[in-house]
Amino acid sequence: AKKCFAQGVPLGDVNPLGRAAKPKQAFRTDAKCADGYVVLGGWALPETGGTENAPWFSLKIFPKDAPWLFKEDGSSQWASTSAEFLGTMAALKAFGWLEGGSVGWPLMGLMMQMADVLIDIGGKLRLHWRPREENQEADNLTNEVFDGFDANRRVALRLGDLPLELFLSLQNAYADFDQKRKDFKMVNPVKTRTSKKIKLAEKTAW
């Protein structure tokens, strides 16, 4: 039977009668997108106590690490949804769960990578959005404010630790396609259609 995940935590085998169990929160994450960097932050909800008993991570990413999250001017705000999804993957990796419509890029590629990972471990992931005021601890981690967290419980995490092999191969193919598309547009510019009003004005009078 497949394992169910609610924000990354296995809930046990699927109920054969199809009765939905109440999801148990495993972790909370957030992502901060700024000019020149992105910060992913998250903490695992402990069985007892608060953040002082929680494993946590705060991962700062620069354009040289993940150019696909940044535009040429260094801005990353446009990729906030992708960054938040990457934060979920970071939490799954940091806290040990990976052992054993129309969507834009790079979010589509990250979703494909996540699906591939979940297939490998036989898992199912449910994500629940929370308002910022209900997710303050994770928001603090993205701002690199670690008050309330035990430094000894910080999980060492690098971007290279995340299982992104499939995504990176797709990213290379996407980048190649995007460049060819731009080159094609330069060689074959789209002709602007002349309005009917202008055509009538330019028409030679007989």
Side-chain angles (χ1 to χ4, degrees):
K2 288 186 177 181
K3 292 181 179 179
C4 291
F5 289 76
Q7 296 190 1
V9 65
L11 300 178
D13 293 340
V14 175
N15 190 321
L17 298 179
R19 296 173 183 171
K22 184 178 180 180
K24 176 184 177 182
Q25 292 186 48
F27 54 78
R28 295 180 183 176
T29 61
D30 201 359
K32 177 179 180 178
C33 295
D35 292 340
Y37 67 91
V38 169
V39 182
L40 311 178
W43 61 294
L45 276 66
E47 292 294 332
T48 59
T51 57
E52 70 280 359
N53 293 329
W56 59 280
F57 70 88
S58 180
L59 174 61
K60 199 167 189 176
I61 301 172
F62 298 97
K64 64 181 179 61
D65 304 317
W68 32 272
L69 284 177
F70 299 86
K71 291 188 175 181
E72 292 182 359
D73 62 0
S75 62
S76 64
Q77 292 85 346
W78 69 279
S80 60
T81 303
S82 297
E84 289 170 358
F85 198 80
L86 189 62
T88 297
M89 185 174 291
L92 290 173
K93 175 63 179 179
F95 304 139
W97 299 122
L98 295 185
E99 296 175 5
S102 176
V103 179
W105 194 269
L107 179 58
M108 180 185 293
L110 291 171
M111 292 176 69
M112 293 172 70
Q113 175 71 77
M114 180 68 80
D116 183 66
V117 169
L118 292 175
I119 289 173
D120 284 345
I121 64 174
K124 183 184 293 184
L125 179 70
R126 297 190 185 98
L127 300 178
H128 305 278
W129 178 84
R130 300 177 68 88
R132 176 171 295 180
E133 59 271 16
E134 296 180 14
N135 198 32
Q136 191 59 54
E137 297 86 355
D139 183 69
N140 287 344
L141 292 176
T142 67
N143 287 305
E144 300 180 280
V145 176
F146 307 142
D147 297 345
F149 288 92
D150 184 347
N152 294 321
R153 293 180 180 271
R154 181 170 185 170
V155 179
L157 186 67
R158 300 173 303 167
L159 184 63
D161 295 332
L162 306 190
L164 295 175
E165 294 83 1
L166 174 61
F167 169 75
L168 292 176
S169 66
L170 293 172
Q171 169 63 22
N172 290 334
Y174 174 82
D176 183 59
F177 167 78
D178 191 50
Q179 185 59 52
K180 289 181 178 178
R181 179 176 61 85
K182 292 177 180 177
D183 293 343
F184 178 81
K185 285 187 175 182
M186 291 182 64
V187 177
N188 302 277
V190 178
K191 295 182 179 179
T192 304
R193 295 184 62 181
T194 305
S195 68
K196 185 176 181 180
K197 185 176 181 180
I198 294 177
K199 285 182 177 179
L200 290 174
E202 294 177 347
K203 189 175 181 180
T204 303
W206 292 92

